Amino acid sequence: MFGFCVLASSANADETLTRARALFKALPESAQEASQLDPIDQNRIDLGRALYFDPRLSASGTHSCNSCHNLALGGDDNRADSVGHGWQSAPRNAPSILNSVFNEARFWDGTVANLERRAMGPVRTGVELSNTVDQIERTIGSMPQYVDWFAAAFPNEAGPVSFENTARAIEAFKSTLITPSRFDSYLNGEEGALSPEEIEGLALFIDKGCAVCHNGINFGGHDYYPFGVFEDPDADAQAIGYRARFVVTETVVDDRVFRAAPLRNVALTAPYFHAGSVWELEAAVGIMADTQLGERMTDLEVSKITAFLKSLTGTFIPLEYPLLPVETSTTPRPSEEVLPY
Ligand code: HEC
Ligand code: HEC
């Protein structure tokens, strides 16, 4: 009898692995594989890392990409809303930058130019860095160390210091921010990478229907769905009057429609949902079951799914904190002025 149970449960575990392989994809091992920008060059990655951490890309000299997409905090800012230029608040919870290179391929048409353009938005958006193309180019061009780094990262270009190359370098760095997890080892066939409880959680995640929306390499991040398919979420889980992804994509008009959030590293990126109103992962899972599946889950089911989601926490590549180029007399000075977008 006991032997039979063991056989039955290992048969289930094999079946879960087969089903998981059909729905999800393991992260690649290297930045080169992850990159859609070819060729990926170490000089360009190093330059992108410096720019990522440089607050002088913001008009006030206060905010860098890392302010809101903090690499020491799972790639986000652990706040409900983000604070940007002049203490304005961005209307949305900042998503994690980790593995986000895989989100964008589906948003846009997948060409190199479009991927790079995506990185330019935050630099200019008023509430984020509130800077202008001209001022960013003047800032970078005023520091000889940056000029040398741009020349090395973009050889054979007549004017390597440009806003466009700033975005390309940040994008190259971003493509290295990939975090393989125990779940990836499991998909790649490493027996025992997940505990029996986590495998049961994975099976529930698939059986209950979570994977209908949260699938692929990032468990989401590629398609839009109404938040509240069966039941409306509580008012505080929604940012009322905010026009969902329409603002970003200009393709979805419904103000209840949001991107199925990518779930890698989700245990590190509270608070949850676009309004950032829910702080406990268990609570977020319960809300999803109610609103998206019309199903009240038991506490045990919620805790197994949550255990599985925690296995998506990845290993972060060791990162060197960059020393940034020194300013000169021509570097534009910080300004609190809100520049026109
Ligand atoms: C003031 C906070 C703030 C700063 C500074 C900021 N961001 Fe963001 N970022 C956000 C928020 C909030 C969103 C979500 C916007 C939305 O979906 O409406 C976002 C979204 C993104 C996304 C989309 C991620 C995904 O999951 O698809 C990327 C990529 C990104 N930012 C990169 C950057 C880069 C690169 C910089 C620096 C040049 C930067 N951000 C600076 C707050 C910030
Ligand atoms: C019909 C599509 C759909 C289904 C089914 C679905 N989700 Fe979601 N999920 C979404 C959307 C859309 C969001 C973003 C909602 C928002 O922020 O407004 C989301 C957000 C989340 C978040 C928050 C992540 C974050 O970073 O804020 C978690 C956790 C989550 N889902 C887990 C689950 C689980 C577990 C299930 C199954 C019980 C599930 N989802 C079922 C579409 C779906």
Side-chain angles (χ1 to χ4, degrees), residues 51-52 57 63-69 77 82-85 88 90-97 100 103-104 107 118-119 122-123 127-129 170-171 174 242 244-245 247-248 259 262:
L51 293 164
Y52 190 89
L57 286 192
H63 301 283
S64 67
C65 308
N66 197 59
S67 307
C68 301
H69 304 285
D77 55 8
S82 301
V83 174
H85 190 68
Q88 294 177 84
R92 292 290 213 72
N93 182 241
S96 173
I97 196 89
S100 70
N103 295 338
E104 295 164 348
F107 274 165
R118 184 66 190 89
V123 177
V127 70
E128 292 173 22
L129 301 177
I170 293 176
E171 196 61 41
K174 208 181 81 179
Y242 191 73
R245 295 298 290 188
V247 177
V248 179
R259 179 178 71 170

Side-chain angles (χ1 to χ4, degrees), residues 73-76 78 93-96 98 262 264-272:
L73 288 173
D76 70 345
N78 291 17
N93 182 241
S96 173
L98 301 178
R264 285 190 179 271
N265 299 301
V266 70
L268 307 179
T269 61
Y272 302 111

Side-chain angles (χ1 to χ4, degrees), residues 219-236:
F219 292 76
H222 53 75
D223 237 328
Y224 300 91
Y225 303 91
F227 186 17
V229 176
F230 286 88
E231 201 179 285
D232 282 347
D234 288 348
D236 67 356

Side-chain angles (χ1 to χ4, degrees), residues 209-210 213-214 227 258-261 272-274 288 292-293 297:
C210 311
C213 303
H214 298 280
F227 186 17
F258 291 92
R259 179 178 71 170
Y272 302 111
F273 303 124
H274 66 270
M288 275 282 125
Q292 307 304 83
L293 300 169
M297 279 191 192

Side-chain angles (χ1 to χ4, degrees), residues 287-304:
I287 290 171
M288 275 282 125
D290 293 348
T291 63
Q292 307 304 83
L293 300 169
E295 172 162 346
R296 190 98 357 172
M297 279 191 192
T298 65
D299 288 351
L300 187 61
E301 287 172 331
V302 168
S303 86
K304 283 180 180 172

Side-chain angles (χ1 to χ4, degrees), residues 20-333:
R21 281 184 170 153
L23 285 163
F24 313 112
K25 207 169 153 229
L27 283 174
E29 291 286 321
S30 75
Q32 182 66 62
E33 250 183 284
S35 170
Q36 300 171 47
L37 307 171
D38 210 28
I40 189 159
D41 166 84
Q42 194 58 42
N43 287 325
R44 199 172 290 188
I45 293 172
D46 291 345
L47 171 62
R49 184 180 54 206
L51 293 164
Y52 190 89
F53 283 99
D54 198 331
R56 293 166 301 182
L57 286 192
S58 67
S60 65
T62 313
H63 301 283
S64 67
C65 308
N66 197 59
S67 307
C68 301
H69 304 285
N70 191 325
L71 296 177
L73 288 173
D76 70 345
D77 55 8
N78 291 17
R79 290 177 46 91
D81 58 352
S82 301
V83 174
H85 190 68
W87 295 104
Q88 294 177 84
S89 107
R92 292 290 213 72
N93 182 241
S96 173
I97 196 89
L98 301 178
N99 309 299
S100 70
V101 69
F102 299 112
N103 295 338
E104 295 164 348
R106 298 286 289 273
F107 274 165
W108 306 90
D109 63 11
T111 63
V112 169
N114 277 336
L115 275 172
E116 286 160 354
R117 205 169 301 138
R118 184 66 190 89
M120 294 186 183
V123 177
R124 298 185 56 205
T125 306
V127 70
E128 292 173 22
L129 301 177
S130 191
N131 215 340
T132 61
V133 171
D134 176 58
Q135 175 142 318
I136 284 170
E137 290 179 347
R138 280 193 295 124
T139 301
I140 296 163
S142 71
M143 295 179 247
Q145 177 76 83
Y146 261 134
V147 175
D148 288 352
W149 285 350
F150 271 80
F154 300 96
N156 314 321
E157 285 193 25
V161 176
S162 66
F163 181 61
E164 192 141 356
N165 283 347
T166 302
R168 287 167 76 192
I170 293 176
E171 196 61 41
F173 171 61
K174 208 181 81 179
S175 72
T176 67
L177 301 176
I178 51 174
T179 62
S181 63
R182 284 190 293 115
F183 176 77
D184 296 282
S185 309
Y186 168 79
L187 269 197
N188 290 333
E190 192 188 302
E191 253 181 80
L194 295 189
S195 70
E197 188 198 17
E198 288 163 344
I199 293 175
E200 283 173 45
L202 165 63
L204 283 169
F205 190 84
I206 298 171
D207 291 338
K208 297 284 184 185
C210 311
V212 170
C213 303
H214 298 280
N215 52 46
I217 194 161
N218 270 352
F219 292 76
H222 53 75
D223 237 328
Y224 300 91
Y225 303 91
F227 186 17
V229 176
F230 286 88
E231 201 179 285
D232 282 347
D234 288 348
D236 67 356
Q238 314 171 40
I240 304 295
Y242 191 73
R243 300 194 66 197
R245 295 298 290 188
F246 174 77
V247 177
V248 179
T249 64
E250 296 181 10
T251 54
V252 181
V253 189
D254 193 332
D255 62 9
R256 283 294 193 76
V257 171
F258 291 92
R259 179 178 71 170
L263 299 181
R264 285 190 179 271
N265 299 301
V266 70
L268 307 179
T269 61
Y272 302 111
F273 303 124
H274 66 270
S277 52
V278 176
W279 283 88
E280 305 297 332
L281 186 52
E282 282 81 359
V285 170
I287 290 171
M288 275 282 125
D290 293 348
T291 63
Q292 307 304 83
L293 300 169
E295 172 162 346
R296 190 98 357 172
M297 279 191 192
T298 65
D299 288 351
L300 187 61
E301 287 172 331
V302 168
S303 86
K304 283 180 180 172
I305 289 182
T306 305
F308 157 64
L309 290 177
K310 288 182 177 166
S311 78
L312 297 174
T313 300
T315 310
F316 193 64
I317 38 147
L319 191 73
E320 208 180 301
Y321 194 77
L323 281 180
L324 300 175
V326 183
E327 285 152 28
T328 63
S329 59
T330 54
T331 306
R333 300 299 172 216

